[in-house]
Amino acid sequence: MPPNTTASSGHKPGKSGRKKGRKARLLVLVLVLAIIGGIAYGAYWSISTVRASLPQTTGSITLDGLSGPVDVKRDSYGIPQIYASSDADLFMAQGYVQAQDRFYEMDVRRHMTSGRLSEMFGKGQVKNDEFLRTLGWDRVAQKEYDTTLSASTKKYLQAYAKGVNAYLKGKDGKDISLEYAALGFENSYQPQKWTPVDSIAWLKAMAWDLRGNMQDEIDRALMTTRLGPQQIADLYPEYPYSRNQPIVTEGEYDEYTKTFGGGDSSTSTSTGGTTGSTSSSSGSALTSQLSGLSGVLEDLPTAVGVNGQGIGSNSWVVAGKNTITGKPLLANDPHLEASLPSVWYQMGLHCRAVSSKCQYDVSGYTFAGMPGVVIGHNQDIAWGMTNSGVDTTDLYLEKLSGDGYLYDGKTKPFTTRTETIKVAGGASKEIVIRETNNGPLLSDRDDELVKVGKKATVDTAAPDRGDGYGIALRWTAEDPGTTMDAVFAIDKASNWTEFRAASTKFDVPSQNLVYADTKNNIGYTLPGKIPTRGKGDGSLPVPGWDPSYDWTGYIPQAALPYEYNPKRGYIVTANQAVIDKDKYPYTLTTDWGYGTRSQRITDLIQSKIDGGGKISTDDMRQMQLDDSSEIAKLIVPKLLKLDIDDPDVRQAQKLLEGWDYTQDADSAAAAYFNSVWRNILKLAFGNKLPKELRVKGQCLFVTPVDTTGPADEADQKVRECGERDADEAQPDGGDRWFEVVRKLMDDPTNDWWKTPKSGNRPAAANMNQLFERAMIDARWELTAKLGKDIDTWSWGRLHRLFLKNQTLGTDGPGIVQYILNRGPWKLSGGEATVNATGWNAAGGYGVVWVPSMRMVVNLDNFDKSKWINLTGASGHAYSAHYTDQTSKWVNGELLPWSFSSKAVDDSTSDSLVLKP
């Protein structure tokens, strides 16, 4: 054992039974046999190496620094509940326990947030490190720790770090996780001590992945190389307020009136989607640097999402008057990239007696590497989160010179710093990071970006472009914030007033927060640091040399939308518009989600209420699993009216007859429809987008730049190949594209419906002809993928989930990937459904992002609440708890969520005492 610990007994199986232990032993056997077979990453792994990092979960361990004993009680899924008598002991134990299960994951994350991945993984990560150093997450986190966070938050962060370091003391890489041995770190790698800043920096990574419309800003600018202003507007329609309700419809408008009171809301009232300053009638854009920037973003390792694209979530709360129990029910399922282990770590943090010395009794979902509970409930309230999507990032064109950059007619010097990137197995690399008054120069970080936009066109009077423009990023998270304070304040809030006060500290990333309490109140609030702008609306890059485009401040917290106990008796947030733009004087964003999921949830709740029913915990679970396709309801009736000549295609068409539009994994109709939908998007839009947005390697013969769309193959036009990763390409098939198609269906001869012939496929001159062409293409695409016999088709055969270890599971040798990765699983659900198992229609049918966890909180009896994680508590590939929740997650099941002392004791399998 490490020198600062003593054990009275080792790990012993508890009530979890022998089956899971047998599975763990079998996996150990597989590992040992594989390794003995000589297929290791460069080192021999013995049985002791495989077993070394298995955490001790029974008996006792002595930890220096504790003031009293701490109990760690794990259930049969390895989920820990921690009991302590002081705040410092509670968070120290949290750090120790999370490090036991997840330290490798924590270590990789901190190397990512500090731009030091090359230290672990070599020269292949240098480009990523350069970009991450330019963003400077760890530098901002250090400023937060030094200047903005409260004394109590610092104390908790220090206690957490002390717990992590108590776990690390005396351990080599092989004692911590199998991955270190695989990397060849078994004898040489010594993890550095954990610091409070390591925890804070993770919030910056979370903010980056939930940053809002930056990718849309890039995409719109890139579209101008091939599309005109009206065509781009067609692809970014207005939010359908009349059909899909925004979150706030009964909000406290009196507060808005008092706050604004004839004040200066004129600074940011633009609502259009394409009114930024880089559009032009010629359609030219920042092709060189923006396509390069998009490429850099694709290559970055994701933190908690899919690099800002496709990120959604569902959360809703139902008041007691509409529930079986008479008290509120609250559901949440954040949609994030599928990762192994899951980004979430379930646990409870309990003070034995809540007092001024020990203030917490909270349970829920945490991030390994960060103290506190992010989503969950305490003894009085529950809360959930969804990404608000508000616009907190702007790209600025900068006119550069050797001496600096132009601003307000004068050349200002860059702010610069030099940093050294250490590279495992190679020479270090030194980089210079330059910043303007608008933020770091992202265009310094890619060979393509150095060309700095020679084609850039700006509506305002532009300076001599010389070699072009650079791109700087203005982002709220580049300034020190207080989100870490908010986490602890929310964890101990006991009522709506305290919750709202705590939420005002949740400045980055801005989230939709839903609320319920045991006193039968429900609520919603939008916190966040949301900028106001002089000119421009954040939809396109703007000229950094013109002060009129500067940010003018931030929307006052008291002026942000909220609702409390609305008369309808429920609140739904699923990334739709927060509030009707005509009822609110500030611009929050021009790029909301389009409300497909939120309206479906609203309809499900309202139909239950209208039918005189009361909603149960299981009703909430069933709503989370709803996989009805809203776009299928719109399109299938049109498809069924088409007169198809080909008998094989007609046979596939018949699958849609009587289909209820649900996307079950075993549904042949869902498989065929989604293939038709994919081909509609490809023919109508995908083949007409610029190469920078299309899938890498997919090549087309295209017409000249001044026209739209692909050419007939016989027309000998220019051959262009796509440049974007499949999971990031357009059209992705999300509910923005639902809205695009919905509007165009009212104009069946619109030019978007026209597509040339290809091979033996006929040209299309209108919507019906394009739909028929898509049905033909889909039939033969599925024949190639699933076979000619449609009786064997199923959506789940196309729509599969693979869980991959985020480092060696993607880039390691085959045997290491086999050991670390899991799957596939055949999934129900789909894009923009409530059961949002997202896929990118441009790239294929594979699952890209998922409900990363699901929970339903019962405010009448917390012990009757339910929860599930995507994977399991453990990050150790040979642990019984590595993916022991996944099959239940796939089947839509939820686990019991014990909270009271008695319920926790009844569900405890392993008990560990941490002693001072």
Side-chain angles (χ1 to χ4, degrees):
M1 298 294 295
N4 67 326
T5 66
T6 58
S8 61
S9 66
H11 175 80
K12 297 178 181 178
K15 298 177 186 176
S16 56
R18 293 185 175 86
K19 284 188 176 180
K20 290 181 179 176
R22 188 178 302 121
K23 288 180 181 177
R25 289 192 295 274
L26 286 172
L27 186 48
V28 169
L29 179 61
V30 170
L31 280 165
V32 174
L33 290 175
I35 292 160
I36 290 175
I39 324 175
Y41 204 178
Y44 172 80
W45 299 343
S46 65
I47 293 176
S48 62
T49 301
V50 172
R51 290 178 174 170
S53 56
L54 184 69
Q56 180 181 335
T57 59
T58 62
S60 65
I61 298 175
T62 298
L63 296 186
D64 294 337
L66 287 175
S67 63
V70 177
D71 295 310
V72 181
K73 302 177 181 183
R74 296 177 183 261
D75 67 10
S76 61
Y77 287 87
I79 300 170
Q81 304 284 339
I82 298 176
Y83 290 83
S85 298
S86 73
D87 290 338
D89 284 355
L90 190 65
F91 294 117
M92 181 177 176
Q94 183 182 15
Y96 185 88
V97 170
Q98 288 190 339
Q100 280 187 304
D101 281 334
R102 299 281 194 96
F103 182 75
Y104 175 75
E105 172 195 3
M106 293 162 58
D107 201 16
V108 172
R109 284 180 177 177
R110 69 166 165 177
H111 278 80
M112 178 186 72
T113 57
S114 59
R116 295 188 296 119
L117 288 168
S118 300
E119 293 179 18
M120 294 185 76
F121 304 109
K123 64 181 181 180
Q125 294 297 323
V126 169
K127 284 286 186 184
N128 286 333
D129 282 347
E130 289 178 1
F131 192 81
L132 292 164
R133 293 282 183 101
T134 300
L135 291 174
W137 293 341
D138 59 333
R139 295 177 68 255
V140 181
Q142 184 68 58
K143 288 180 183 178
E144 285 189 9
Y145 185 77
D146 293 339
T147 64
T148 64
L149 296 179
S150 68
S152 62
T153 292
K154 292 181 182 180
K155 175 184 173 184
Y156 301 154
L157 288 164
Q158 292 162 2
Y160 181 90
K162 186 187 294 184
V164 176
N165 293 328
Y167 168 77
L168 292 178
K169 192 171 183 180
K171 287 184 172 66
D172 294 322
K174 65 181 175 59
D175 301 318
I176 297 171
S177 187
L178 179 66
E179 286 92 335
Y180 292 117
L183 285 166
F185 290 164
E186 183 172 354
N187 298 314
S188 62
Y189 183 77
Q190 188 65 38
Q192 297 175 352
K193 285 188 175 181
W194 194 264
T195 72
V197 173
D198 292 332
S199 296
I200 301 167
W202 178 236
L203 287 172
K204 299 302 173 185
M206 184 176 85
W208 177 254
D209 278 352
L210 303 175
R211 63 192 177 272
N213 77 334
M214 182 173 165
Q215 191 63 55
D216 287 319
E217 192 173 338
I218 292 170
D219 287 356
R220 269 190 291 264
L222 290 172
M223 284 180 183
T224 60
T225 62
R226 294 200 64 80
L227 304 178
Q230 182 54 53
Q231 293 167 321
I232 296 173
D234 289 344
L235 303 186
Y236 288 90
E238 285 283 323
Y239 183 88
Y241 291 98
S242 62
R243 187 175 67 256
N244 295 342
Q245 294 179 13
I247 298 170
V248 174
T249 58
E250 302 175 34
E252 301 293 328
Y253 297 112
D254 288 345
E255 183 169 352
Y256 303 158
T257 303
K258 286 186 289 186
T259 302
F260 301 137
D264 117 358
S265 61
S266 62
T267 59
S268 184
T269 56
S270 173
T271 56
T274 55
T275 59
S277 61
T278 59
S279 60
S280 73
S281 59
S282 68
S284 296
L286 330 173
T287 52
S288 118
Q289 78 259 50
L290 286 174
S291 60
L293 175 57
S294 185
V296 171
L297 298 181
E298 289 172 17
D299 291 339
L300 277 183
T302 51
V304 296
V306 195
N307 281 330
Q309 291 214 72
I311 294 178
S313 297
N314 302 321
S315 191
W316 67 95
V317 59
V318 180
K321 69 179 182 179
N322 294 322
T323 70
I324 286 176
T325 66
K327 290 288 182 70
L329 295 171
L330 185 150
N332 197 186
D333 55 286
H335 308 154
L336 304 171
E337 182 182 39
S339 61
L340 181 60
S342 167
V343 69
W344 300 110
Y345 184 90
Q346 298 151 284
M347 71 189 316
L349 302 172
H350 307 278
C351 290
R352 293 190 179 95
V354 176
S355 66
S356 58
K357 179 183 178 183
C358 197
Q359 304 173 74
Y360 296 89
D361 187 14
V362 60
S363 183
Y365 294 86
T366 72
F367 291 136
M370 199 180 89
V373 170
V374 178
I375 295 173
H377 71 83
N378 60 30
Q379 68 273 35
D380 297 307
I381 73 168
W383 66 96
M385 296 184 188
T386 64
N387 193 26
S388 70
V390 299
D391 187 359
T392 59
T393 59
D394 280 342
L395 296 175
Y396 282 84
L397 301 181
E398 302 287 5
K399 172 57 186 169
L400 309 180
S401 69
D403 299 324
Y405 61 96
L406 190 70
Y407 180 73
D408 198 17
K410 299 176 182 177
T411 298
K412 297 187 66 172
F414 297 109
T415 301
T416 63
R417 66 182 188 274
T418 301
E419 298 202 11
T420 301
I421 297 172
K422 297 179 181 179
V423 182
S428 298
K429 182 175 182 179
E430 193 173 87
I431 63 170
V432 176
I433 296 164
R434 301 188 295 175
E435 294 187 3
T436 73
N437 62 321
N438 292 310
L441 272 176
L442 303 186
S443 50
D444 282 351
R445 295 283 73 89
D446 185 87
D447 293 340
E448 284 295 314
L449 302 187
V450 173
K451 298 175 184 176
V452 288
K454 294 184 178 181
K455 296 183 180 179
T457 300
V458 183
D459 287 345
T460 60
D464 175 24
R465 71 186 62 185
D467 290 331
Y469 302 118
I471 298 179
L473 171 67
R474 184 80 169 95
W475 179 33
T476 54
E478 289 288 309
D479 301 322
T482 55
T483 300
M484 199 72 246
D485 284 341
V487 171
F488 294 116
I490 290 173
D491 281 358
K492 65 181 180 182
S494 62
N495 55 49
W496 172 247
T497 300
E498 292 178 0
F499 177 78
R500 280 213 73 202
S503 72
T504 61
K505 300 177 184 295
F506 206 107
D507 47 14
V508 177
S510 176
Q511 298 287 284
N512 296 311
L513 299 182
V514 294
Y515 165 94
D517 64 35
T518 57
K519 304 295 185 184
N520 225 345
N521 300 301
I522 65 172
Y524 160 83
T525 190
L526 174 71
K529 201 172 183 180
I530 305 170
T532 56
R533 298 168 176 86
K535 294 172 67 176
D537 62 5
S539 64
L540 285 166
V542 293
W545 57 85
D546 186 343
S548 66
Y549 287 91
D550 287 352
W551 286 4
T552 58
Y554 300 96
I555 300 176
Q557 289 290 312
L560 291 172
Y562 73 95
E563 277 193 340
Y564 186 58
N565 291 329
K567 294 178 182 178
R568 64 184 179 276
Y570 58 86
I571 300 169
V572 176
T573 83
N575 318 113
Q576 79 270 40
V578 168
I579 190 168
D580 193 318
K581 62 183 175 62
D582 294 331
K583 297 179 179 179
Y584 192 68
Y586 284 100
T587 294
L588 297 172
T589 185
T590 61
D591 292 297
W592 299 115
Y594 280 79
T596 302
R597 281 180 288 109
S598 62
Q599 193 58 43
R600 176 63 178 172
I601 296 166
T602 297
D603 291 345
L604 290 170
I605 295 170
Q606 193 62 53
S607 65
K608 187 81 172 182
I609 295 171
D610 291 345
K614 299 285 187 179
I615 295 171
S616 68
T617 299
D618 198 59
D619 289 331
M620 301 283 274
R621 180 187 70 87
Q622 293 286 355
M623 291 177 193
Q624 289 178 325
L625 302 178
D626 182 84
D627 56 18
S628 175
S629 171
E630 297 303 301
I631 191 64
K633 294 175 185 177
L634 180 70
I635 291 179
V636 165
K638 301 284 188 183
L639 300 179
L640 290 174
K641 291 180 179 178
L642 298 177
D643 187 10
I644 304 295
D645 294 330
D646 188 313
D648 290 312
V649 180
R650 197 162 59 245
Q651 182 187 30
Q653 182 187 36
K654 287 181 179 298
L655 290 172
L656 304 178
E657 295 178 358
W659 179 41
D660 63 359
Y661 309 119
T662 59
Q663 299 172 96
D664 297 326
D666 60 358
S667 171
Y672 182 58
F673 171 75
N674 281 317
S675 183
V676 173
W677 170 238
R678 178 173 185 252
N679 280 281
I680 287 173
L681 292 173
K682 178 181 177 182
L683 293 168
F685 312 105
N687 291 348
K688 302 168 186 176
L689 295 177
K691 63 181 183 297
E692 292 87 359
L693 275 68
R694 299 202 314 268
V695 175
K696 191 178 297 181
Q698 291 187 2
C699 302
L700 297 169
F701 289 93
V702 300
T703 52
V705 166
D706 289 339
T707 60
T708 298
D712 287 340
E713 290 177 356
D715 287 349
Q716 82 351 310
K717 303 297 184 182
V718 179
R719 186 172 185 264
E720 273 188 358
C721 298
E723 297 179 351
R724 188 165 287 187
D725 285 352
D727 290 349
E728 305 283 340
Q730 292 292 341
D732 61 19
D735 66 353
R736 172 165 68 90
W737 294 99
F738 288 16
E739 194 64 19
V740 169
V741 170
R742 181 188 298 274
K743 287 182 173 295
L744 290 174
M745 286 176 70
D746 293 331
D747 184 9
T749 60
N750 190 286
D751 283 349
W752 285 110
W753 298 123
K754 298 175 182 178
T755 192
K757 66 180 180 178
S758 176
N760 63 352
R761 301 285 197 271
N766 56 48
M767 181 184 73
N768 283 343
Q769 290 177 5
L770 185 138
F771 281 7
E772 181 176 349
R773 166 86 175 267
M775 292 177 74
I776 295 169
D777 289 353
R779 173 46 160 125
W780 299 115
E781 181 186 10
L782 293 198
T783 297
K785 291 180 180 294
L786 303 179
K788 189 173 182 179
D789 183 359
I790 65 173
D791 291 336
T792 67
W793 291 1
S794 71
W795 177 224
R797 287 180 62 195
L798 292 172
H799 192 54
R800 299 187 299 168
L801 170 67
F802 291 85
L803 291 176
K804 294 185 177 182
N805 178 286
Q806 292 302 288
T807 55
L808 301 182
T810 57
D811 294 323
I815 185 60
V816 175
Q817 293 191 36
Y818 176 80
I819 290 166
L820 297 177
N821 297 341
R822 298 291 183 272
W825 287 269
K826 299 175 181 179
L827 295 193
S828 302
E831 188 75 13
T833 62
V834 181
N835 184 20
T837 56
W839 55 287
N840 186 300
Y845 303 98
V847 176
V848 178
W849 46 271
V850 295
S852 56
M853 62 81 157
R854 298 186 183 103
M855 75 175 194
V856 180
V857 183
N858 185 324
L859 275 294
D860 179 59
N861 184 343
F862 287 122
D863 290 331
K864 292 184 178 179
S865 301
K866 304 285 186 179
W867 62 352
I868 197 77
N869 205 350
L870 173 64
T871 60
S874 180
H876 300 289
Y878 47 87
S879 167
H881 305 306
Y882 190 48
T883 56
D884 58 341
Q885 297 186 51
T886 305
S887 292
K888 290 183 178 295
W889 176 93
V890 169
N891 293 330
E893 299 177 46
L894 299 176
L895 301 176
W897 183 354
S898 300
F899 181 69
S900 70
S901 295
K902 182 180 184 304
V904 169
D905 286 343
D906 288 346
S907 64
T908 295
S909 292
D910 291 347
S911 293
L912 174 69
V913 179
L914 304 178
K915 301 191 302 186

